Amino acid sequence: MSPDPARPQEGARHLTPARVLDVDPLLEDPTTRIVVCCGSGGVGKTTTAAALGLRAAERGRKVVVLTIDPARRLAQSMGIDSLDNTPRRVKGVDDSAGGELHAMMLDMKRTFDEIVEAHADPERAAAILGNPFYQSLSAGFAGTQEYMAMEKLGQLRARDEWDLIVVDTPPSRSALDFLDAPKRLGSFLDGKLIRVLLAPAKVGGRAGMKFLNVGMSMMTGVLGKVLGGQFLKDVQTFVAAMDSMFGGFRTRADATYKLLQAPGTAFLVVAAPERDALREAAYFVERLAAEDMPLAGLVLNRVHGSGADRLSAERALAAAENLEDPRIVDQDGGKAGVRNSPDTYGSSDSSDASPDVAPGTSPEESEGPEETAERSVDQLAAGLLRLHADRMHLLAREQRTRDRFTARHPEVAVTEVAALPGDVHDLAGLRDIGVRLATGRPELPETGA
């Protein structure tokens, strides 16, 4: 009977998926213009995006990496003091193939300010930028960050300055919130409150004032009590100033959304080989399919491997127990054979018992230097065997979670990246991650001199 492919096989180093994600052809393809890394928090999206950008640049493409991660890890790993809303060229990149690497971090408020300045006359722009409600909205209104990420992506693509844009998605509760940004913006702009606040300005003249005094008196009275009269006035002033720009927001958002659906875009879902992370990854895969977004594959990050996986956890534990207490496992010859004899323990007539052991003294206390050293080596070996058993149990658990995902989504190509002993903090580390992304092997690759 052939083994069930859905069951992890003992000793398997890593999953051999139905489809293997080949990263290099994706990065080298001139038709690939945008790569979007998405996934739940804490799975390594920022590092993955940076490593992909570096690998693409060193293979001849002019790349910009857009991160929304405020932790500034990307700047540190690229040797840059800080990142801001302007792409900055990364030094130390191998440009022998003609490529370049630039990096930037989304400044949500500055991006919003740039939109206002670009699409409003100076007088109106100054009124908007100085409006208290706008300042609150641009600094942290729910959904603003995701929408501004879409705006910045659209700006970068429209400039046509880079061959490839790599996007690290916002660290939000749902990593696909930025896909909903255009719809949420449209709902906000078309909402009843906005229409009511815009109505006086649209009607104009005495009719408008009459509408404001009669039709809005109850509405503004209630809102004034809840929100405060000055706040409501700030909102009305903001809405009136922004009225001419609302259509442009919606148009650009829709255009960027279509850009994400275009053939030149590739989504990479990043996950760790853990149950919750792969459950989120499955949700992302299904959501992208529902939105007609082009999915390139899954990056399975922080996968553990072992160079000694032929030794099973069960055999390792048995060997450890044998070293710790030789009585419980049969051994061949030597002292073990004597120790395993039923007469060894509990009998004063045993020929192996040491006549020099004083009554009330434990065997350990009576051991000589050689016996003590041998026992220390046995204890160390037993500890290492137990650590190996734990490692093999971890590998088996990761294997099961990967098998569940691939059984549910066999159409998704997968590449695996080994877990590293520490954080990536420089270009060399990012370059190493890029190699692992391209090889798709969880075990540590050998590095040349």
Side-chain angles (χ1 to χ4, degrees):
M1 186 176 184
S2 60
D4 183 357
R7 294 174 62 90
Q9 302 302 309
E10 185 63 55
R13 283 193 174 190
H14 59 92
L15 177 68
T16 302
R19 294 184 58 206
V20 177
L21 174 61
D22 199 347
V23 170
D24 283 345
L26 175 68
L27 298 179
E28 295 170 357
D29 186 352
T31 64
T32 302
R33 303 299 303 275
I34 298 173
V35 172
V36 182
C37 296
C38 59
S40 56
V43 296
K45 292 193 304 294
T46 300
T47 301
T48 299
L52 289 169
L54 176 60
R55 190 165 181 84
E58 294 189 333
R59 300 175 87 81
R61 305 200 71 185
K62 189 174 181 181
V63 185
V64 60
V65 177
L66 168 62
T67 182
I68 298 86
D69 185 358
R72 302 186 185 278
R73 290 170 297 174
L74 180 62
Q76 295 171 358
S77 65
M78 291 183 170
I80 300 175
D81 293 335
S82 63
L83 292 177
D84 54 24
N85 219 38
T86 302
R88 299 184 181 278
R89 186 164 183 175
V90 179
K91 299 179 181 179
V93 175
D94 181 1
D95 57 1
S96 58
E100 297 179 9
L101 179 61
H102 300 249
M104 62 180 297
M105 185 176 71
L106 177 72
D107 184 330
M108 180 176 62
K109 186 179 187 310
R110 183 58 200 148
T111 300
F112 211 151
D113 291 350
E114 290 172 353
I115 296 170
V116 172
E117 292 167 351
H119 297 90
D121 59 74
E123 183 178 352
R124 179 167 292 192
I128 295 172
L129 296 177
N131 184 276
F133 177 74
Y134 167 79
Q135 293 173 359
S136 299
L137 176 71
S138 60
F141 195 76
T144 304
Q145 185 183 50
E146 289 80 7
Y147 177 77
M148 289 305 140
M150 296 277 283
E151 278 277 358
K152 182 55 68 176
L153 174 58
Q155 291 176 11
L156 293 172
R157 185 65 181 86
R159 289 166 63 177
D160 204 27
E161 185 176 346
W162 292 275
D163 300 332
L164 179 65
I165 303 169
V166 182
V167 182
D168 168 33
T169 54
S172 52
R173 182 176 179 271
S174 170
L176 292 182
D177 278 351
F178 72 102
L179 292 179
D180 294 324
K183 294 180 180 178
R184 288 203 305 271
L185 180 68
S187 298
F188 172 72
L189 298 180
D190 294 331
K192 291 182 179 179
L193 175 60
I194 294 297
R195 290 202 303 269
V196 168
L197 294 176
L198 276 174
K202 287 184 176 296
V203 174
R206 290 189 174 182
M209 292 303 298
K210 183 178 180 181
F211 179 88
L212 177 63
N213 292 332
V214 179
M216 289 191 64
S217 58
M218 294 181 62
M219 171 69 77
T220 55
V222 172
L223 290 175
K225 291 179 181 178
V226 174
L227 303 176
Q230 184 59 47
F231 178 80
L232 182 59
K233 183 178 180 180
D234 291 338
V235 174
Q236 288 177 311
T237 303
F238 164 76
V239 170
M242 290 284 288
D243 181 27
S244 62
M245 297 179 58
F246 283 162
F249 275 101
R250 189 183 296 105
T251 299
R252 289 190 304 276
D254 291 343
T256 305
Y257 190 80
K258 291 178 181 178
L259 182 64
L260 292 174
Q261 294 176 316
T265 300
F267 280 83
L268 288 174
V269 177
V270 184
E274 301 166 359
R275 184 177 61 180
D276 291 343
L278 279 173
R279 184 184 295 118
E280 285 292 300
Y283 161 73
F284 297 145
V285 167
E286 293 163 5
R287 174 70 192 281
L288 289 169
E291 300 284 345
D292 293 325
M293 299 290 175
L295 173 65
L298 170 73
V299 174
L300 200 56
N301 214 0
R302 300 169 185 166
V303 176
H304 293 87
S306 173
D309 52 14
R310 295 182 64 181
L311 177 61
S312 68
E314 291 74 15
R315 291 174 59 196
L317 288 174
E321 291 172 355
N322 186 33
L323 288 170
E324 291 169 340
D325 190 347
R327 293 174 295 174
I328 63 175
V329 179
D330 289 337
Q331 296 188 18
D332 295 331
K335 293 182 180 180
V338 178
R339 291 190 187 114
N340 289 332
S341 168
D343 296 330
T344 301
Y345 297 91
S347 173
S348 61
D349 298 332
S350 171
S351 60
D352 191 53
S354 174
D356 298 328
V357 177
T361 303
S362 67
E364 290 79 0
E365 293 173 336
S366 65
E367 288 178 346
E370 293 183 2
E371 289 80 1
T372 301
E374 181 180 353
R375 178 173 293 277
S376 297
V377 171
D378 288 350
Q379 291 174 342
L380 176 61
L384 292 174
L385 286 165
R386 290 188 179 278
L387 287 175
H388 176 76
D390 291 342
R391 180 77 166 199
M392 297 310 296
H393 285 144
L394 173 62
L395 265 63
R397 185 166 63 251
E398 290 183 355
Q399 180 80 46
R400 288 192 296 270
T401 58
R402 290 181 299 222
D403 285 346
R404 292 192 196 101
F405 177 87
T406 54
R408 183 174 178 180
H409 295 285
E411 77 285 358
V412 178
V414 180
T415 187
E416 300 179 356
V417 181
L420 298 178
D423 293 334
V424 175
H425 54 79
D426 55 19
L427 284 180
L430 291 176
R431 195 173 286 117
D432 188 24
I433 291 291
V435 172
R436 299 165 195 266
L437 281 164
T439 58
R441 300 172 60 191
E443 65 269 20
L444 302 180
E446 296 182 359
T447 55

